[in-house]
Amino acid sequence: MRSFPIDRDHLVATLADLIRIDSVNPSLVPGAAGEAAIAEYLAGRLKALGLAVKTLEATPGRPSVVGTVQGSGGGRSLMLNAHMDTVGVEAMVEPFAPTVSDGKMHGRGAYDMKGSLAACLAVVKALADARVSLRGDLVLAAVADEEYASIGTAEVARQVPVNAAIVTEPTELDLCIAHKGFVWLEVETMGRAAHGSRFFEGIDANMRMGRFLGRLDRLEQDLRARSPHPLLGPPSLHAPLLRGGTELSTYAASSRLGIERRTVPGETSTDVQGEIEVLIEQTRAVDPSFKAVVRCLLARNAFEVSPEAAIVKVVRDAAMRHSHRTPSLIGKPFWMDSALLADAGVETVIIGPIGGGAHTAEEWVDLQSLEDLAVILANAAVTYCE
Ligand SMILES: [Zn+2]
């Protein structure tokens, strides 16, 4: 087994450069910078390292950068995936001024996930420095918009076929092999508008929503009592949005409820919507004049990969060899781009650095863990693509 020394100074300097470039997601914060500048920086760096670089930009102003180390042929192809966008910086004093103290770099995106981008660049540099030639392609995908609608990875998954992918979201160097999905639903109950005094005409949509909510509350308790996924626990739901009626003196003609349902692997959006339809039917069975519909607004599948999958074993072995510790196989409760890659038929696993403060005012990443990550990724790439 060869080892690939990582140029730590280069990695740290790259991360500092990336933090200095504002790449706040404009879908989260209207008017924010977006990915154009950071994509240009990364494209330049990847070209300088000898990669074939293309920019995917189906949505104008929202580019993703794909750099490929072309293999000699006959090997498996692997994608390293990291997002370039960050959440907003409102509560931060100097979000784009990276500082290092105590082996940690601070700044917006340090942990989520410019540190991983810098580690991926360090991998490509280490392999180039060591003049390694692989049979399969090694692809670095720096993607847009993970923090909002994942248009970057969606486009990359359509345009760049690979055998396997490593999403480098933070995992404290453990191996994430599952995460939950979610389905956003809207239920609307229909009433009849009437002057507030005309009880014999009006049908109150809000009161009808109350009946539905009673049943939804029981479904919520039922979900949490279901046998839990070993890494992710039980599915769940909540009702974060409720809006109905127009004014105090008028019967509410319509009431709308937003439901977020968190799913475990194996549950589909059709299943989830079906459960809600059953509740509507049950309410209607008691009162045939009850009228309601359910619509699916957005569905993102849960993700799971077998611990026996080739990419999982390769990354696990690489981590064990480097740190003499078996990384834990973990699940994460929140959704990541990994599900889009898996849905496209790409065998995917998640591993990333140690840090804290994602989406808060005090974000930091542990620099040693980035160096460790780069070593693990480099060795995994060589084994997988050789
Ligand atoms: Zn992230």
Side-chain angles (χ1 to χ4, degrees), residues 83 112-113 146-147 169-170 359:
H83 64 83
D112 182 20
M113 58 183 295
E146 193 278 341
E147 298 289 0
E169 288 274 11
H359 300 210

Side-chain angles (χ1 to χ4, degrees), residues 65-318:
V65 177
V66 178
T68 303
V69 184
Q70 234 108 43
S72 57
R76 294 178 291 191
S77 54
L78 174 66
M79 174 189 293
L80 306 179
N81 177 296
H83 64 83
M84 300 181 286
D85 60 315
T86 70
V87 294
V89 294
E90 212 178 64
M92 298 180 85
V93 184
E94 288 195 284
F96 309 118
T99 55
V100 176
S101 68
D102 216 8
K104 299 167 180 171
M105 190 175 290
H106 298 255
R108 174 54 86 226
Y111 182 49
D112 182 20
M113 58 183 295
K114 293 179 174 180
S116 300
L117 268 175
C120 291
L121 267 166
V123 169
V124 174
K125 181 174 185 296
L127 297 183
D129 288 349
R131 299 184 183 284
V132 173
S133 101
L134 304 171
R135 291 199 297 144
D137 290 352
L138 176 63
V139 176
L140 198 166
V143 298
D145 193 42
E146 193 278 341
E147 298 289 0
Y148 186 69
S150 293
I151 55 176
T153 288
E155 190 175 3
V156 164
R158 284 195 303 272
Q159 304 275 343
V160 187
V162 285
N163 295 116
I166 304 173
V167 171
T168 56
E169 288 274 11
T171 64
E172 325 311 297
L173 295 176
D174 282 325
L175 226 52
C176 174
I177 58 168
H179 64 67
K180 280 188 172 176
F182 65 90
V183 183
W184 286 346
L185 298 157
E186 183 180 73
V187 169
E188 181 179 11
T189 52
M190 275 77 85
R192 187 194 297 137
H195 187 276
S197 63
R198 299 177 73 84
F199 62 88
F200 44 89
E201 272 178 22
I203 297 176
D204 188 325
N206 288 339
M207 302 271 257
R208 296 193 161 220
M209 183 60 84
R211 298 182 201 169
F212 172 82
L213 274 169
R215 293 184 189 276
L216 189 69
D217 194 32
R218 289 197 287 282
L219 173 62
E220 192 271 334
Q221 291 164 38
D222 166 64
L223 290 179
R224 280 185 292 121
R226 286 183 191 174
S227 64
H229 183 279
L231 295 175
L232 300 173
S236 64
L237 71 77
H238 62 130
L241 294 171
L242 180 55
R243 196 177 70 241
T246 49
E247 61 198 338
L248 273 169
S249 60
T250 301
Y251 272 79
S254 156
S255 184
R256 290 168 185 240
L257 178 74
I259 301 171
E260 184 182 65
R261 170 73 152 76
R262 295 281 171 164
T263 57
V264 294
E267 291 186 307
T268 67
S269 62
T270 314
D271 299 339
V272 164
Q273 189 165 339
E275 286 172 349
I276 300 297
E277 277 158 4
V278 167
L279 301 188
I280 291 173
E281 275 316 308
Q282 287 170 347
T283 319
R284 194 174 5 243
V286 178
D287 173 4
S289 76
F290 177 84
K291 274 194 204 140
V293 291
V294 55
R295 305 176 192 98
C296 181
L297 305 179
L298 180 68
R300 294 292 195 201
N301 288 335
F303 161 79
E304 185 168 39
V305 63
S306 164
E308 301 305 315
I311 189 62
V312 177
K313 286 178 157 171
V314 164
V315 176
R316 198 182 194 179
D317 287 353

